[in-house]
Amino acid sequence: MICPYIEPPPIYHLLTTYYKDPMFAFSIKNAFRRKGIAILAVIGIALGCALMTTLLSLSIGMDKKMTDTINEFAGDIMLSQKSMPMGGMLPMSYKDRIKQLDNVKYVLETVTAYIPDTSLDSSSPLGTQVMGISPDRPHRTNEPSSSIIEGHSIEGKYDIIVGAQMINQQQRAGKDMHIGQEIIVPKVRGGEFVTLKIVGIFETGTTIYDMVMVGTNEAAREIMTLPDTVTSSFIVRATNIDAVQELADQIEEMFQDEEYPVDSMIPSDMIGDMTEMMDTFHIFLWAISAVSAAAGGMSIAIVMLMSVMERMPEFGIFKATGWKNSTIILSVIIESTTVSFIGAAIGLGLGFVADTVINHYLGTTIGVIDAILAIQVIGFGILMGVLGGMYPAVKAARVDPIQTLSSL
């Protein structure tokens, strides 16, 4: 079977024509005729593109984590005692009453305890948070108990699992935290102690989880000396995301005249506010990235201008032998673009190294380089090369061959 001939796209002919053109090869070689100057230009572009890559990859990583968090908590309502979001308590009897409302998928009680600095170092004035979970907690995406990366999940009353980011935070502070470690925690009242044991390390990818410890509600109640009839808070999951706000208002109204009125918090609303703030931050990162890359473009312009000024007699000879102005302009731009392309590629590699170091240090993937970002960085670097070479190219094309030859 004879395959039919397929006509290549026009860009193919353009590239192969220039590639075979002696002027094209000559221009690329000229880009590194003065190696010292060319290396300085490459370094300028590389540093600008490296900073651009690092900043924008952090922007992409933060967007991804924000999206994961939104997906994780979409449809949730957090209930706590009115005006006491961190240390209040609610009767367990509220749980059955909330279940009777429309659009309620499930209700979970959550007891929160805090380990004081005397037992475990913490950057929070309240101490290290231990989030209690119910044994009947439904499986959800990125659940701590199903995201174990080392050890095993909670099996006993005093077992706890620790977020990977908390482990890394403790290690950076020079504190050891490992599986099998026992943490002796004083009870809030009574002068007794509870011994918790780390049995696993989890990583959900959601910062809200990965910076805390997770244990049983029973152990958290014992630390806080709370009776079985109360809990710290409730998590209400709505059957329909569109009904979340209406359901939250309905729950607050239901208990407003009770001894323990409730406040509701919708995580997705809070995340929405954070998203707006992050959008502003991303614009700021783009601005810094553009300025840094433009500084690299200025280095290309200066280096190419120096090169052109030194080679004016050469360009005069070219014009005398028949080179057109457009040919000289194209030749100089090819030189600047070659240098900027190499610099952008090196900068992209340096940005990848920087992201690897940052991710390792933070213990989470916050810097993400995708194909779109790589194309943007390389494309922006080439654009800076074209713009940076434009003025020197025009300067070279305006050379007077007669005057140049007479001065030789």
Side-chain angles (χ1 to χ4, degrees):
M1 179 179 178
I2 300 177
C3 295
Y5 173 76
I6 300 176
E7 178 68 23
I11 187 65
Y12 172 81
H13 295 295
L14 180 63
L15 292 176
T16 53
T17 299
Y18 277 118
Y19 178 75
K20 295 176 182 178
D21 190 334
M23 185 275 294
F24 185 84
F26 172 78
S27 301
I28 292 180
K29 290 179 181 179
N30 268 344
F32 295 94
R33 177 187 291 182
R34 298 290 298 274
K35 292 183 175 59
I37 294 178
I39 290 174
L40 289 176
V42 168
I43 291 174
I45 286 288
L47 292 178
C49 289
L51 181 59
M52 182 180 190
T53 301
T54 303
L55 293 179
L56 297 185
S57 67
L58 294 178
S59 175
I60 293 172
M62 287 186 286
D63 272 343
K64 185 178 183 302
K65 284 192 173 295
M66 186 70 67
T67 300
D68 291 343
T69 302
I70 291 174
N71 292 336
E72 175 68 16
F73 294 99
D76 279 357
I77 303 171
M78 314 294 292
L79 301 179
S80 60
Q81 185 178 350
K82 194 173 185 65
S83 303
M84 299 183 66
M86 303 301 293
M89 58 183 183
L90 296 173
M92 285 293 294
S93 59
Y94 284 9
K95 182 176 182 178
D96 291 332
R97 295 172 62 181
I98 295 172
K99 284 182 178 180
Q100 303 304 314
L101 298 175
D102 294 334
N103 297 315
V104 174
K105 187 174 183 179
Y106 57 76
V107 183
L108 301 174
E109 69 272 16
T110 299
V111 182
T112 302
Y114 293 92
I115 301 175
D117 287 342
T118 54
S119 300
L120 188 67
D121 288 340
S122 172
S123 58
S124 170
L126 295 174
T128 303
Q129 180 182 355
V130 178
M131 184 177 70
I133 59 173
S134 304
D136 60 344
R137 185 182 178 96
H139 174 76
R140 302 200 308 186
T141 305
N142 295 336
E143 193 73 18
S145 58
S146 59
S147 303
I148 302 295
I149 59 174
E150 187 177 345
H152 59 82
S153 190
I154 297 171
E155 296 176 353
K157 177 179 177 180
Y158 299 108
D159 289 349
I160 56 172
I161 54 179
V162 187
Q165 289 189 43
M166 175 175 283
I167 293 285
N168 288 321
Q169 185 183 60
Q170 289 288 322
Q171 290 176 346
R172 289 198 302 272
K175 307 297 181 182
D176 184 33
M177 181 176 283
H178 58 271
I179 293 177
Q181 178 180 347
E182 292 186 345
I183 303 173
I184 301 175
V185 185
K187 295 183 179 180
V188 173
R189 290 179 288 273
E192 298 179 350
F193 294 86
V194 174
T195 301
L196 303 176
K197 183 178 180 180
I198 300 176
V199 298
I201 300 173
F202 66 87
E203 185 173 18
T204 65
T206 304
T207 304
I208 294 177
Y209 282 149
D210 291 347
M211 283 297 294
V212 302
M213 293 181 169
V214 176
T216 63
N217 274 337
E218 291 80 1
R221 272 200 181 91
E222 194 169 331
I223 293 171
M224 302 304 291
T225 62
L226 295 176
D228 294 342
T229 55
V230 298
T231 186
S232 301
S233 59
F234 289 109
I235 299 175
V236 180
R237 183 78 165 189
T239 56
N240 186 350
I241 296 178
D242 295 333
V244 169
Q245 185 61 60
E246 181 181 351
L247 180 59
D249 295 340
Q250 190 176 358
I251 292 172
E252 286 191 12
E253 184 179 354
M254 175 185 289
F255 299 111
Q256 65 181 356
D257 296 327
E258 300 285 344
E259 182 179 358
Y260 298 96
V262 303
D263 272 334
S264 65
M265 183 188 73
I266 302 175
S268 58
D269 288 348
M270 179 180 66
I271 293 171
D273 294 337
M274 292 176 61
T275 301
E276 292 182 5
M277 180 180 67
M278 290 302 298
D279 288 341
T280 303
F281 183 61
H282 295 334
I283 294 173
F284 176 69
L285 292 182
W286 264 106
I288 295 178
S289 301
V291 170
S292 63
M298 288 297 297
S299 70
I300 286 285
I302 295 172
V303 167
M304 291 307 302
L305 186 58
M306 291 172 58
S307 176
V308 164
M309 296 304 294
E310 289 180 358
R311 294 159 53 200
M312 278 301 188
E314 180 181 305
F315 290 117
I317 295 173
F318 289 158
K319 290 192 73 173
T321 57
W323 277 39
K324 298 179 180 178
N325 288 346
S326 60
T327 304
I328 294 177
I329 291 174
L330 181 60
S331 176
V332 175
I333 289 178
I334 289 174
E335 292 180 30
S336 63
T337 303
T338 300
V339 172
S340 62
F341 174 78
I342 294 174
I346 294 174
L348 185 63
L350 292 175
F352 176 80
V353 172
D355 277 351
T356 302
V357 173
I358 292 172
N359 292 340
H360 176 75
Y361 181 76
L362 296 179
T364 184
T365 305
I366 190 66
V368 178
I369 299 177
D370 56 17
I372 295 177
L373 176 58
I375 293 172
Q376 288 175 337
V377 171
I378 296 294
F380 198 85
I382 292 175
L383 177 63
M384 290 298 100
V386 172
L387 296 178
M390 189 64 70
Y391 175 72
V394 172
K395 186 80 172 176
R398 289 179 176 176
V399 66
D400 186 346
I402 297 177
Q403 183 179 355
T404 301
L405 292 174
S406 63
S407 64
L408 294 177

